[in-house]
Amino acid sequence: MSGTGTAEVLTLGETMVALRGSGPLKLGGTMQVSVAGAESNVAIGLARLGHPVRWAGAVGDDEAGQLVLRTLRAEGVDVSGASTDDGGAPTGLLMFEPRLPEVTRVHYYRAGSAGSRLRADAVERAFAAAPPRVLHLTGITPALGPEAQGAAERALRLARAHGSTVCLDVNFRSRLWSAEAAAEVLCSWVPSVDVLIASEDELPLCLPESVSSPAAQADWLLKAGPREVVVKLGASGATAYTADGPVHAPAKAVRAVDAVGAGDAFVAGYLSALLDGEPVAGRLERAVTTGAFAVASPGDWEGAPTRAELGMLGAAPGTVVR
């Protein structure tokens, strides 16, 4: 899946080199090197579940960029839509600093990065290779800068033109843009979105007016364009709203190790089941399962399950899988 074949899913966004410290950064110590990015996390999750997926992003002409591409290729993600910035822009960097057992600080070094300069022509090449069944976008990409926002919006228009299903995970990042700026962009995207995924506190960013409850907000959104509104509720599971009414799935009980990447794993599970033709209840079930795998494992994407592993959460404690 690292070549130029047909992809079921196309996603685009910034993937950075991730450094995970063993303790407070000012005290030094060791760091584990990996890569991280919401869209590539979803891509890896889908690839592990057996779906052909293409990632279109931009990396720097540097060793960090090579690490990103090498990692994605190793995970079976098609990177033929990726581009290398030849203007000197570096690959972005983020650092995870554990400060308390349940508190980790994240430091970003992404201003002027290659990923923030993703261009619309890269998206056009990705669609020209083979229009995907699903385009997956997040609210992170348009927050990176004008070029990245333009690339995402070009992808949105191409998806509409080719009849691709559009999935949007709001993924609001207050350190990248304000709620007002996010709402202006996301509200304009809503009519072109088929599957909208958001946490309960992100949902209002997609509505131009104040609506009281998540159920009322979902009802408003279903009339505005999306046919599915999926609300992530953390430890309470998730609820999907469609024209047929709400469907809820409780979270899977696991020992929490690292919540980073859980939302991306949830999206990968939901899209995987959608591509398999599962009903809404089946999509939620797979989504909360893949999300649980992420919570129970360290790292952004490292704990993402394969299809054969999906049933492992139902095994009795102490089970040895041979």
Side-chain angles (χ1 to χ4, degrees), residues 13-227:
E14 181 174 32
T15 298
M16 298 169 284
V17 167
L19 301 180
R20 292 181 173 273
S22 58
L25 293 177
K26 64 185 177 185
L27 301 181
T30 59
M31 284 197 161
Q32 180 181 357
V33 183
S34 184
V35 304
E39 298 83 5
S40 55
N41 292 345
V42 172
I44 291 172
L46 283 164
R48 287 195 179 179
L49 292 169
H51 299 280
V53 56
R54 177 176 293 126
W55 175 80
V59 297
D61 186 13
D62 49 31
E63 290 295 302
Q66 289 302 309
L67 174 62
V68 168
L69 296 178
R70 182 176 182 272
T71 302
L72 293 180
R73 286 193 195 100
E75 287 296 327
V77 176
D78 182 341
V79 296
S80 61
S83 58
T84 300
D85 191 295
D86 55 7
T91 303
L93 171 70
L94 75 159
M95 302 171 74
F96 294 93
E97 178 189 19
R99 290 299 291 120
L100 294 169
E102 303 296 330
V103 179
T104 297
R105 291 194 295 211
V106 182
H107 307 273
Y108 292 99
Y109 301 89
R110 70 199 315 178
S113 69
S116 69
R117 300 184 185 185
L118 176 65
R119 297 187 297 270
D121 58 354
V123 175
E124 291 169 356
R125 288 195 301 273
F127 266 89
R133 287 178 59 188
V134 175
L135 169 69
H136 174 60
L137 299 173
T138 78
I140 297 174
T141 304
L144 297 176
E147 283 184 290
Q149 180 179 331
E153 292 179 342
R154 179 59 178 153
L156 198 61
R157 291 193 293 272
L158 286 168
R160 294 290 79 187
H162 289 283
S164 303
T165 294
V166 175
C167 173
L168 171 64
D169 182 3
V170 172
N171 232 329
F172 175 64
R173 295 289 185 268
S174 61
R175 291 168 66 176
L176 290 177
W177 57 353
S178 67
E180 293 74 20
E184 183 178 355
V185 171
L186 296 174
C187 285
S188 70
W189 286 14
V190 163
S192 299
V193 172
D194 299 295
V195 180
L196 177 67
I197 301 176
S199 59
E200 198 170 4
D201 61 333
E202 292 172 334
L203 214 53
L205 296 174
C206 302
L207 294 94
E209 57 192 68
S210 178
V211 181
S212 57
S213 68
Q217 292 166 354
D219 183 63
W220 191 98
L221 288 164
L222 290 172
K223 296 173 182 175
R227 61 174 184 260

